[in-house]
Amino acid sequence: MEFQFDLIVVGAGSGGLAAAKRAASYGAKVAIVEVNKIGGTCVIRGCVPKKLMVYAAKSKKNMDSSEGYGLKSKGISFESNILLKNVREEVSRLSNLHRSSLSKLNVTIFEGLGRFITQNELEIICPKTKKILNKVSSKKILISVGGIPKKLNIPGIDLAWTSDDIFELDRFPESILIVGGGYIACEFASIFRNLGTEVTQLIRGQHLLNGFDKDLSSCLEESPTFNEINIISNTQLNSIKRVNGDLESTLDSGDKLLTNNILIATGREPNLLPLNLEFLKLKMDGQYLDVNELNQTSNANIFAVGDIIKRPNLTPVAIEQGRVFADNFFNDLKRKVNYENIPKAVFTIPEISTVGLSEKRAKEIYSEKNIRIFKCKFTPMSNTFKEKKSKCMLKIVVNKLTDKVLGCHMFGETSSEIIQMLSISLNAGITKKEFDITMALHPTISEEFVTMYS
Ligand SMILES: Cc1cc2nc3c(=O)[nH]c(=O)nc-3n(C[C@H](O)[C@H](O)[C@H](O)COP(=O)(O)OP(=O)(O)OC[C@H]3O[C@@H](n4cnc5c(N)ncnc54)[C@H](O)[C@@H]3O)c2cc1C
């Protein structure tokens, strides 16, 4: 059978764009199918617009607390409509940049929803009219359709927002209930609170950021921002209803809350349903597509990258998977994705960043007696003249037997920039002794990483 393309990529997000561009750069005839704006979650409704909002929140926080430095900042107002409009313009600019780089590489763009009709063919459907716009065939097909927010199955759920809706708002609400304690929930709680919204956060467990090193979540809970957030723990949302212009939430305790809006941030799931995959009987790993080290599904010509496979759901991971796929199948480079020491951040104010094993995980793997913890917590110099002083925390997890550094964790300003660099050292197998013989750069927060002795 003659195919129209060497590769069709379904989904023009982080993983799909990376794979399409890399394969096309090797001379492959590539098409990409996208039902929404080119760019995917990261560019359109994730990392990028969120981080721009974090910058807005940081600017406001700095202005609010600048009097100690002699800067009079009373009377500052925040106009959320300006921020939201600027964020949307930047997102469109980035989306257009991706579109033009695809065109330069001769990648054909199909706008619409991709749906499998055979193992090598897709139909492209208009999401509004449901009309079939095109039928396309390819030797290889890469699925990179990403995730969607999980919906709670409770009465009135359609009244609530998901993170996707936040970027479409005209203005920020005066009060919001955020349901969830993961990184997306915490980031939005921090953005909204620091920009003046009254925030209540509802979490199912006892603490925020389940799965992160315990000291990091404690620092966040004790921070000035989260002290201003009404955190309701060990509780779930039972129903939502509209009361006049506001939303009334009923909790499983029977308590009721009235807020302008509700954001549900209780996790994400792979967006596989519209693809019509059932007849292909691809092997699954729970709700994710099962793939081998080459990102190949149980069908040798169908591949998957990004948030639809059971790997850390992060943009750099999806991009690397897409590039490695193209390097292997369109240039025979025999590469693998390195999943060791993937750095992660939570862009609250201050931010949380982490690489390697948490203290708890290290003790589970190597036994408590073989783990040594180095930790310090202090008020950074930048907070000296501030009224509300946030502390920072740095922590190193070390294997006593080998002196290898197993994990580095930090709560504090610019921790993401610091931990990104430390992840190189961890990947190179750095020991605690090598931290100790490294000269400090003074005065910084990160110098504590090389001056912590037991
Ligand atoms: C609010 C938020 C904040 C985040 N912040 C960060 C962060 O700070 N750092 C980080 O690393 N990660 C972050 N992430 C996660 C990151 O965005 C994802 O891990 C990454 O985008 C996954 O890339 P992907 O290629 O798998 O899919 P996506 O980027 O989601 O792209 C999938 C694309 O496929 C399209 N699509 C879906 N179905 C079809 C179909 N049938 N036909 C055609 N097109 C289809 C979608 O419209 C979408 O454009 C965040 C996510 C969210 C929601």
Side-chain angles (χ1 to χ4, degrees):
M1 182 179 173
E2 277 276 302
F3 299 115
Q4 291 164 271
F5 294 96
D6 300 319
L7 172 67
I8 294 179
V9 175
V10 195
S14 306
L17 283 168
K21 289 180 193 174
R22 185 63 65 92
S25 77
Y26 294 137
K29 199 174 174 207
V30 181
I32 196 160
V33 188
E34 175 54 58
V35 66
N36 207 300
K37 275 190 184 164
I38 303 275
T41 305
C42 173
V43 175
I44 311 296
R45 39 190 180 271
C47 330
V48 172
K50 167 200 81 184
K51 191 82 190 273
L52 291 169
M53 289 182 178
V54 171
Y55 287 128
K58 270 189 191 168
S59 305
K60 173 84 166 42
K61 196 172 176 74
N62 280 338
M63 284 168 134
D64 286 345
S65 55
S66 58
E67 289 210 352
Y69 292 97
L71 298 160
K72 295 246 175 238
S73 58
K74 283 248 158 64
I76 284 173
S77 66
F78 166 58
E79 300 193 19
S80 55
N81 56 329
I82 296 179
L83 171 68
L84 287 156
K85 178 179 143 291
N86 288 344
V87 167
R88 277 194 284 271
E89 279 175 11
E90 176 59 6
V91 160
S92 292
R93 188 185 72 82
L94 294 173
S95 178
N96 289 335
L97 273 182
H98 278 298
R99 185 179 280 276
S100 72
S101 65
L102 288 172
S103 300
K104 279 189 195 135
L105 286 160
N106 293 320
V107 175
T108 307
I109 301 172
F110 290 103
E111 290 180 16
L113 186 87
R115 200 169 171 276
F116 277 84
I117 41 178
T118 72
Q119 60 170 353
N120 294 102
E121 289 170 295
L122 295 166
E123 49 190 21
I124 319 289
I125 296 168
C126 170
K128 279 191 191 139
T129 61
K130 311 284 177 223
K131 265 194 181 160
I132 299 173
L133 304 170
N134 257 304
K135 279 189 186 171
V136 282
S137 66
S138 174
K139 192 157 186 235
K140 292 186 168 53
I141 298 181
L142 174 72
I143 309 175
S144 49
V145 294
I148 44 171
K150 266 189 201 156
K151 264 202 166 180
L152 296 176
N153 189 12
I154 54 165
I157 192 65
D158 289 337
L159 296 169
W161 291 332
T162 67
S163 61
D164 293 354
D165 299 307
I166 302 297
F167 306 112
E168 299 302 324
L169 298 179
D170 291 327
R171 280 181 191 278
F172 276 17
E174 281 174 21
S175 63
I176 191 165
L177 170 69
I178 298 182
V179 183
Y183 85 96
I184 292 176
C186 291
E187 288 176 340
F188 279 115
S190 171
I191 290 168
F192 278 121
R193 182 60 219 131
N194 282 300
L195 288 172
T197 299
E198 285 299 323
V199 180
T200 303
Q201 194 172 354
L202 197 69
I203 55 175
R204 213 170 31 173
Q206 180 70 31
H207 295 288
L208 299 172
L209 295 177
N210 201 3
F212 281 75
D213 192 281
K214 181 73 188 58
D215 280 318
L216 293 173
S217 54
S218 305
C219 283
L220 187 66
E221 285 163 4
E222 290 160 12
S223 69
T225 298
F226 280 77
N227 267 325
E228 292 178 5
I229 292 172
N230 174 22
I231 299 175
I232 307 176
S233 50
N234 299 313
T235 312
Q236 299 198 48
L237 182 61
N238 268 1
S239 65
I240 304 170
K241 75 173 183 194
R242 194 173 286 288
V243 175
N244 301 324
D246 289 328
L247 295 181
E248 183 185 82
S249 316
T250 306
L251 314 185
D252 56 0
S253 57
D255 289 349
K256 292 187 192 304
L257 290 171
L258 199 64
T259 48
N260 290 162
N261 293 95
I262 300 171
L263 166 63
I264 307 288
T266 48
R268 295 174 62 82
E269 59 193 11
N271 186 14
L272 297 174
L273 209 61
L275 285 169
N276 188 37
L277 287 176
E278 298 74 34
F279 75 95
L280 291 168
K281 305 218 175 326
L282 300 180
K283 196 171 164 215
M284 301 298 290
D285 184 355
Q287 57 179 350
Y288 297 94
L289 276 174
D290 190 53
V291 289
N292 63 16
E293 278 189 328
L294 300 172
N295 285 88
Q296 200 162 28
T297 66
S298 52
N299 181 314
N301 286 320
I302 301 178
F303 302 80
V305 296
D307 286 5
I308 52 171
I309 64 172
K310 204 174 181 178
R311 288 291 189 179
N313 287 177
L314 294 166
T315 285
V317 177
I319 290 175
E320 180 64 355
Q321 288 165 345
R323 287 185 180 154
V324 168
F325 155 74
D327 286 347
N328 285 331
F329 288 92
F330 295 94
N331 202 13
D332 201 21
L333 285 188
K334 301 197 170 30
R335 286 216 301 129
K336 279 185 191 159
V337 177
N338 172 20
Y339 290 104
E340 294 296 311
N341 298 310
I342 296 174
K344 297 187 184 93
V346 183
F347 293 103
T348 46
I349 303 173
E351 57 198 38
I352 282 177
S353 302
T354 177
V355 62
L357 299 179
S358 67
E359 178 177 343
K360 181 167 174 267
R361 193 72 194 112
K363 285 177 176 170
E364 279 164 8
I365 297 173
Y366 296 98
S367 131
E368 183 149 6
K369 66 178 192 315
N370 295 327
I371 295 298
R372 200 155 173 195
I373 301 296
F374 299 84
K375 190 164 86 176
C376 64
K377 196 171 176 181
F378 57 98
T379 304
M381 200 196 263
S382 58
N383 286 346
T384 308
F385 300 137
K386 289 183 185 167
E387 208 179 296
K388 292 177 187 167
K389 297 187 203 309
S390 176
K391 290 220 155 99
C392 67
M393 195 276 302
L394 290 77
K395 179 169 178 177
I396 311 176
V397 181
V398 179
N399 183 335
K400 254 193 222 174
L401 304 177
T402 60
D403 199 40
K404 277 254 170 84
V405 176
L406 302 173
C408 291
H409 312 283
M410 181 169 170
F411 175 77
E413 56 193 274
T414 67
S415 66
S416 56
E417 309 288 349
I418 294 161
I419 291 292
Q420 168 71 91
M421 291 295 104
L422 277 179
S423 64
I424 302 173
S425 311
L426 261 73
N427 254 342
I430 196 164
T431 59
K432 177 65 169 63
K433 185 161 174 260
E434 286 160 331
F435 268 59
D436 298 342
I437 60 164
T438 301
M439 195 63 76
L441 196 164
H442 184 73
T444 58
I445 302 176
S446 54
E447 68 180 303
E448 297 298 326
F449 269 125
V450 295
T451 55
M452 269 194 273
Y453 305 103
S454 54

